[in-house]
Amino acid sequence: MKDYLIRGMDKHGRIRVFVASTTKMVEDARRTHNTSPTATAALGRTLTAGVIMGSMMKNSQDVLTLKIAGDGPGGTIYIVSKNNGRVKGYIDNPSADVPSREDGKLDVGKLVGKNGTITTIMDLGLKDPYVGQSNIVTGEIAEDLANYYAYSEQQPSAVSLGVLVDRDISVKAAGGYIIQLLPGISDEDIDKIENTLSSIEPVSTMIDKGLSPEDIMDRILGDFQMEVLDKTDLIYQCDCSREKIERVIMSLGREEIQNIIEEDGEAEVVCHFCNSKYKFSKEELLEFLIDN
Ligand SMILES: [Zn+2]
């Protein structure tokens, strides 16, 4: 099944929902970064959240950065996404792993750590980017994002994210949803949604059973008349290029480039998001000095 995201709304405009299937996207990230099983789950949950949050932006030039910086052995997780379903990300220590929990589940909370912050940076093409921040609550990502929405955005939201890692450590199923309660919703409707969410299967189980995002929307909000507003294909994709890396080197300034030439004689830059290597010879670096 292809990865995609749907955006849905009830007919009264009081419930907005985003549901994503992200199995292939998370598997592509796992292969790129060679992550441990727990790091696959941590990165995969955050990628799923990042691609959903990116889809909430209006313009194709808008860029969302989601950063989860806990004090666990995994280190910081970075996600960059746009509103077109393209997402990339990495975790500082992809090989870090922790023992599973007593219930057999991967201990994402321990890998991420409970002390730290969630930061979102939205570059909407304005003078200053929009920055929101909140504290990590459990390190399990979904709870942390629900807390982020409540405190930083004053937007009551239910967040569910899941990654099922197979015995051969590949990704068996991944996906997630964010439900946003909009002004005008009744307490009765909120109770209904909470009741459903407390008894429903984990999202990764539903994806593993072959349920589509539309099926999942039906399971979680079947009591409401929901309509799918749009559908976006999701792809793990890095947009780095030699030209972009050149601009990064140029931005270091004359002195720093001169230091690199004197100390190393050449430069090798590795993209964090896709591990592509870019090599620059002494001659090329000298040319940057002329242009700088
Ligand atoms: Zn790259």
Side-chain angles (χ1 to χ4, degrees):
M1 191 170 69
K2 230 174 158 185
D3 288 342
Y4 65 94
L5 173 140
I6 57 166
R7 186 165 62 96
M9 180 84 96
D10 76 308
K11 69 170 188 174
H12 302 293
R14 292 170 190 159
I15 306 165
R16 183 161 50 209
V17 66
F18 301 82
V19 188
S21 59
T22 58
T23 307
K24 184 172 185 306
M25 192 183 95
V26 176
E27 171 64 4
D28 284 347
R30 183 196 71 82
R31 282 170 188 249
T32 301
H33 298 293
N34 201 14
T35 38
S36 75
T38 318
T40 302
L43 180 61
R45 288 183 195 175
T46 318
L47 273 169
T48 301
V51 82
I52 293 175
M53 293 166 83
S55 78
M56 296 177 191
M57 299 186 298
K58 288 200 174 69
N59 302 309
S60 59
Q61 301 300 317
D62 299 346
V63 181
L64 172 101
T65 304
L66 171 62
K67 185 175 146 190
I68 301 192
D71 61 350
T76 299
I77 303 170
Y78 294 87
I79 308 295
V80 175
S81 69
K82 292 187 167 184
N83 77 350
N84 60 359
R86 303 293 191 270
V87 67
K88 59 181 180 178
Y90 67 91
I91 179 165
D92 269 345
N93 305 311
S95 59
D97 208 354
V98 292
S100 292
R101 303 191 321 196
E102 273 177 21
D103 61 7
K105 290 193 172 145
L106 296 168
D107 200 341
V108 172
K110 190 157 268 174
L111 189 83
V112 171
K114 288 169 182 60
N115 299 301
T117 51
I118 288 197
T119 309
T120 64
I121 304 162
M122 267 186 273
D123 186 348
L124 307 174
L126 306 168
K127 190 162 155 274
D128 296 312
Y130 169 83
V131 181
Q133 195 171 64
S134 67
N135 288 327
I136 291 175
V137 185
T138 62
E140 294 282 334
I141 316 291
E143 290 90 335
D144 302 307
L145 277 164
N147 179 65
Y148 166 81
Y149 273 113
Y151 289 95
S152 189
E153 311 268 326
Q154 283 87 48
Q155 169 59 65
S157 308
V159 183
S160 179
L161 306 163
V163 175
L164 209 58
V165 176
D166 216 339
R167 283 171 197 278
D168 66 358
I169 76 165
S170 68
V171 176
K172 194 159 186 255
Y177 55 82
I178 297 181
I179 304 170
Q180 296 187 323
L181 307 176
L182 304 176
I185 188 158
S186 67
D187 289 345
E188 201 191 330
D189 285 347
I190 294 175
D191 286 347
K192 246 188 221 172
I193 295 170
E194 281 175 352
N195 277 337
T196 309
L197 294 185
S198 66
S199 62
I200 203 162
E201 288 175 302
V203 64
S204 55
T205 307
M206 291 194 274
I207 300 264
D208 190 36
K209 285 181 175 174
L211 267 66
S212 67
E214 287 87 345
D215 296 333
I216 294 171
M217 182 175 81
D218 207 44
R219 285 269 184 103
I220 54 181
L221 295 165
D223 289 339
F224 305 89
Q225 286 172 285
M226 300 300 294
E227 190 194 340
V228 176
L229 301 178
D230 50 48
K231 189 172 158 177
T232 311
D233 288 337
L234 305 179
I235 295 173
Y236 186 88
Q237 190 180 66
C238 188
D239 53 356
C240 68
S241 65
R242 199 169 172 85
E243 290 69 35
K244 282 189 183 174
I245 304 288
E246 278 177 12
R247 283 206 290 277
V248 173
I249 296 178
M250 300 271 269
S251 72
L252 295 173
R254 284 189 74 87
E255 211 172 310
E256 186 58 35
I257 298 175
Q258 226 143 17
N259 281 342
I260 295 170
I261 295 171
E262 276 161 30
E263 281 168 26
D264 306 315
E266 58 179 9
E268 186 183 90
V269 181
V270 180
C271 173
H272 281 306
F273 294 99
C274 67
N275 295 324
S276 295
K277 288 192 176 83
Y278 295 91
K279 280 191 178 162
F280 296 90
S281 66
K282 189 176 176 180
E283 288 70 31
E284 285 172 295
L285 292 172
L286 283 168
E287 262 178 56
F288 293 153
L289 280 183
I290 296 165
D291 297 339
N292 216 319

